[in-house]
């Protein structure tokens, strides 16, 4: 909206000004409608919006050529520059935009040569380059720069995650060593002390000492368990298996059917996510459709991974960190998980919670690299009800988080290249316009010079055919303005007096006026530089 307002201000000004070339009300309204369409379209169809804005500006330019006014040209200049910048900012690739700019430039030159001349073609091409090509390139640079910033933040987040994971792995390693080594030795000590306590030939005093030693070892084992639990803080805690979740729901009076081939061996984080989706979906079914049957379908897709060193259907002994069908540790080598929870139509209860539970599920599933969907299957009937569906990988996937700095370095390289292209193109366009303008000045001056000696020999009353023999091929201007009035009914032509366009008297003109096929007047128009 703000961009449209900025682009609309010059159009409104061109409609209310009293300068020559002002826009008619219908022209201003038409231009405002075009801007209202192409400005938002630049985000979704950048190349098409760029072409539409460029063609509209060129139509305005060529319409203004006939009245020799820059009002209509300036009216759409801000709009074209704004659309070109937005198009460059939102275009996924730059090749199509370059093609569009070339088409605009070629079209401007072609039409200008037909309806105007070399000066018109130069002005049309310069305007297209300055108002379309340069903002487009700046928009491309802005896109690359923002991509680099995003890559930097992603890299920082990845480093934080790496540190957290390294810390968690070290804590888990220490906990495992303490549990396996120290815990095993304490268990052996407690066993031997207990056997000593039960020895029949041991005296009462020694038996009491053995009992005290066993209790001390047992207490030490309990303290060790506390320390191990503390070290494992941050690891996924044990969750219920799928059967446990469904059994608990059946005890609450819910009719639940389970289908599919089960979860198998997946990462504990995925196991937690599945548990969360199932429990939340069942809770929603109980709240919103009490009495409706629920079908839970849990299926593995792709390869069926196996854990090295053991049966994937077996838990990790006493550690069993994730628990049951949902908690086989060790990760997975491939495949994924497809989960669907469908609650039957039943009797719909009042909505509660505002959908925050489903929103939380969607965020949790997306966090591990999965996709989530929830939809109403309709009202009454066998096919009615509500479905919660999640598609999960076998192990968490970090979205857009590069494992190394390669992505950031590539983004930085692209930004530097884009910056160089932007600067070079801007300088090239500016330099090209200056050189083209200077070249045109030289061309215009040298091809429209009437030799002073020939001018002196001309006499009023000469036939136009005799005068034409010494005249140059081109006139300098059509109407210099602020010139003395020509003879009534005469047609006048203006010619240069100097070949050097930078001479102090470069603006002086020879004026020759013809009437009825004869030279009616000749004059030197001295104009201040």
């Amino acid at each position: 909206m703000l961009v449209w307002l900025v682009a609309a201000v010059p159009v409104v000004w061109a409609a209310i000004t009293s300068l020559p070339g002002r826009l008619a009300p219908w022209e201003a309204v038409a231009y405002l409608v075009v801007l209202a369409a192409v400005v938002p379209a630049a985000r979704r169809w950048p190349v098409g919006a760029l072409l539409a804005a460029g063609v509209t500006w060129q139509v305005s330019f060529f319409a203004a050529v006939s009245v020799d006014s820059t009002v209509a040209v300036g009216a759409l200049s801000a709009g074209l520059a704004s659309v070109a910048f937005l198009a460059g900012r939102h275009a996924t690739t730059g090749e199509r935009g370059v093609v569009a700019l070339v088409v605009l430039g070629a079209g401007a030159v072609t039409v200008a040569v037909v309806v105007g001349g070399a000066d018109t073609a130069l002005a049309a091409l310069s305007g297209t380059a300055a108002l379309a090509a340069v903002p487009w390139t700046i928009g491309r640079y802005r896109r690359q720069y923002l991509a680099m910033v995003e890559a930097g933040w992603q890299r920082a987040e990845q480093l934080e995650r790496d540190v957290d994971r390294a810390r968690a792995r070290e804590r888990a390693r220490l906990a495992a060593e303490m549990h396996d080594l120290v815990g095993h030795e304490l268990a052996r000590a407690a066993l031997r002390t207990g056997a000593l306590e039960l020895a029949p030939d041991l005296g009462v005093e020694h038996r009491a000492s053995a009992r005290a030693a066993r209790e001390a070892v047992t207490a030490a084992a309990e303290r060790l368990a506390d320390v191990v639990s503390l070290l494992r803080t941050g690891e996924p805690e044990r969750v219920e298996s799928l059967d446990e979740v469904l059994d608990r729901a059946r005890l609450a009076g819910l009719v639940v059917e389970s289908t599919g081939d089960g979860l198998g061996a997946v990462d504990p984080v995925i196991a937690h996510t599945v548990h969360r989706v199932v429990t939340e979906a069942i809770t929603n079914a109980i709240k919103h459709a009490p009495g409706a049957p629920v079908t839970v379908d849990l299926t593995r897709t792709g390869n069926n991974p196996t854990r090295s060193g053991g049966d994937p259907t077996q838990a990790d002994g006493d550690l069993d960190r994730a628990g049951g069908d949902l908690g086989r540790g060790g990760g997975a080598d491939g495949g994924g998980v497809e989960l669907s929870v469908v609650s039957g139509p039943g009797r719909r209860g009042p909505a509660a919670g505002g959908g925050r539970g489903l929103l939380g599920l969607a965020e949790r599933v997306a966090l591990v690299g999965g996709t989530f969907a929830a939809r109403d299957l309709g009202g009454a009937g066998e096919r009615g009800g509500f479905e919660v569906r999640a598609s999960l990988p076998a192990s968490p996937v970090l979205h857009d988080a590069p494992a190394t700095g390669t992505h950031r370095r590539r983004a930085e390289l692209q930004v530097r290249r884009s910056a160089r292209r932007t600067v070079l193109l801007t300088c090239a366009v500016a330099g090209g316009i200056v050189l083209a303008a200077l070249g045109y000045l030289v061309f215009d001056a040298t091809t429209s010079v009437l030799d002073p000696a020939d001018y002196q020999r001309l006499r009023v009353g000469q036939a136009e055919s005799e005068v034409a023999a010494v005249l140059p091929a081109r006139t300098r201007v059509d109407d210099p303005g602020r010139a003395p009035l020509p003879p009534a009914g005469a047609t006048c032509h203006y010619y240069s007096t100097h070949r050097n366009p930078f001479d102090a008297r470069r603006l002086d003109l020879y004026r020759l006026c013809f009437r009825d096929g004869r030279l009616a007047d000749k004059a030197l128009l001295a104009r201040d530089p």
Side-chain angles (χ1 to χ4, degrees):
M1 184 63 180
L2 179 61
V3 175
W4 181 82
L5 289 175
V6 171
V9 168
V11 177
V12 175
W13 170 81
I16 63 177
T17 185
S18 59
L19 295 175
R22 66 183 298 269
L23 296 179
W26 70 268
E27 291 178 310
V29 172
Y31 287 150
L32 291 177
V33 171
V34 171
L35 289 175
V38 297
V39 168
R43 301 179 183 274
R44 187 171 181 180
W45 302 288
V47 177
L50 176 64
L51 283 172
V55 170
T56 303
W57 180 86
Q58 290 177 0
V59 169
S60 173
F61 173 84
F62 293 123
V65 168
S66 60
V67 296
D68 194 23
S69 173
T70 60
V71 171
V73 177
L76 290 178
S77 296
L80 176 58
S82 300
V83 172
F85 173 80
L86 290 176
R89 168 69 180 82
H90 293 283
T92 55
T93 59
E95 289 78 6
R96 294 182 180 179
V98 173
V99 173
L101 292 173
V102 172
V103 170
L104 286 175
V109 173
T110 302
V111 176
V113 170
V114 174
V115 303
D119 53 346
T120 303
L122 176 62
L125 183 60
S126 299
T128 301
L131 298 175
V134 172
W136 163 272
T137 309
I138 295 175
R140 297 299 302 162
Y141 166 74
R142 179 63 177 172
R143 179 183 179 88
Q144 298 292 347
Y145 175 79
L146 293 178
M148 185 192 69
V149 172
E150 182 180 0
W153 282 111
Q154 289 175 352
R155 178 59 179 159
E157 293 173 357
Q158 173 64 19
L159 291 176
E160 291 181 357
R161 283 191 290 265
D162 290 344
V163 171
D164 291 340
R165 288 177 177 175
R167 184 182 296 113
R169 285 194 299 268
E170 183 63 18
R171 293 166 70 100
R173 185 186 65 81
L174 291 175
E177 289 184 357
M178 294 178 66
H179 182 275
D180 294 340
L181 300 178
V182 182
H184 180 64
E185 294 300 327
L186 288 175
R188 290 177 58 190
L191 180 61
R192 292 180 178 180
T193 305
L196 180 62
E197 179 184 0
L198 298 177
D201 56 346
L202 194 67
V204 176
E205 182 180 353
H206 294 88
R207 194 184 302 277
S209 298
R211 184 185 306 109
R214 178 180 56 78
E215 292 174 351
V217 172
T218 303
E222 293 175 354
R223 300 297 179 270
L224 176 63
D226 293 339
V227 174
V228 169
S229 176
L230 179 62
L231 286 174
R232 286 175 176 167
T233 299
E235 287 191 335
E237 71 276 7
R238 185 188 185 281
V239 296
E240 298 173 292
S241 67
L242 178 60
D243 291 336
E244 290 174 333
V245 174
L246 300 185
D247 290 340
R248 183 159 48 84
R250 294 186 182 103
L251 290 176
L254 193 64
V255 178
V256 182
E257 179 183 3
S258 176
T259 62
D261 52 10
L263 188 58
V266 294
D267 188 279
V269 174
I270 301 298
H272 272 255
T273 305
V274 172
H275 177 270
R276 173 71 182 277
V277 173
V278 173
T279 54
E280 182 68 21
I282 290 177
T283 301
N284 285 341
I286 295 174
K287 289 194 299 184
H288 302 300
V294 175
T295 301
V296 179
D297 182 77
L298 185 62
T299 307
R300 288 299 300 271
T301 60
N303 299 327
N304 292 324
T306 59
R307 285 205 340 240
S308 59
D311 185 349
T313 62
Q314 299 299 320
D316 290 336
D318 59 340
L319 293 178
D320 195 13
R321 295 187 180 92
D325 290 336
L326 297 181
R328 304 300 185 247
D333 299 325
V337 178
E338 291 292 337
L339 172 63
S340 173
V341 181
V342 179
S343 58
R347 176 177 59 83
R348 307 301 292 178
R356 297 185 183 89
L358 294 179
L359 180 61
L361 287 183
E363 293 174 348
R364 186 180 183 97
V365 170
L367 188 64
V368 298
T371 58
F372 178 84
R375 60 186 180 127
D376 194 345
L377 300 178
E382 294 182 356
R383 298 183 179 275
F386 193 85
E387 179 184 30
V388 173
R389 178 176 292 275
S391 179
L392 301 165
S395 58
V397 177
L398 297 177
H399 286 289
D400 302 326
T404 66
T406 303
H407 181 52
R408 176 176 172 81
R409 288 193 296 270
R410 183 166 56 250
E412 290 175 345
L413 179 60
Q414 291 175 347
V415 168
R416 287 195 294 268
R417 288 177 178 174
S418 181
R420 285 196 296 267
R421 285 195 297 266
T422 301
V423 173
L424 289 176
L425 180 63
T426 303
C427 294
V429 169
I433 292 175
V434 172
L435 292 178
L438 293 177
Y440 179 76
L441 288 177
V442 174
F443 168 78
D444 188 42
T446 56
T447 57
S448 62
V449 173
L450 174 59
D451 189 89
D454 293 333
Y455 173 78
Q456 294 298 330
R457 287 193 292 269
L458 296 178
R459 295 290 180 265
V460 175
Q462 276 186 285
E464 186 174 358
S465 58
E466 297 178 4
V467 177
V470 298
L471 294 180
R474 299 177 63 255
T475 58
R476 179 66 181 272
V477 295
D478 294 329
D479 183 7
R482 301 190 303 275
L485 294 175
T491 300
C492 300
H493 302 287
Y494 301 86
Y495 301 95
S496 299
T497 61
H498 297 76
R499 294 186 182 278
N500 183 2
F502 308 105
D503 187 272
R505 305 305 309 172
R506 64 187 180 278
L507 298 182
D508 292 349
L509 296 173
Y510 289 129
R511 186 179 73 177
L512 303 180
C513 298
F514 298 90
R515 182 175 55 196
D516 298 329
R518 293 191 173 275
L519 182 63
D521 182 64
K522 55 177 283 189
L524 171 63
L525 305 180
R527 302 192 301 169
D528 295 332

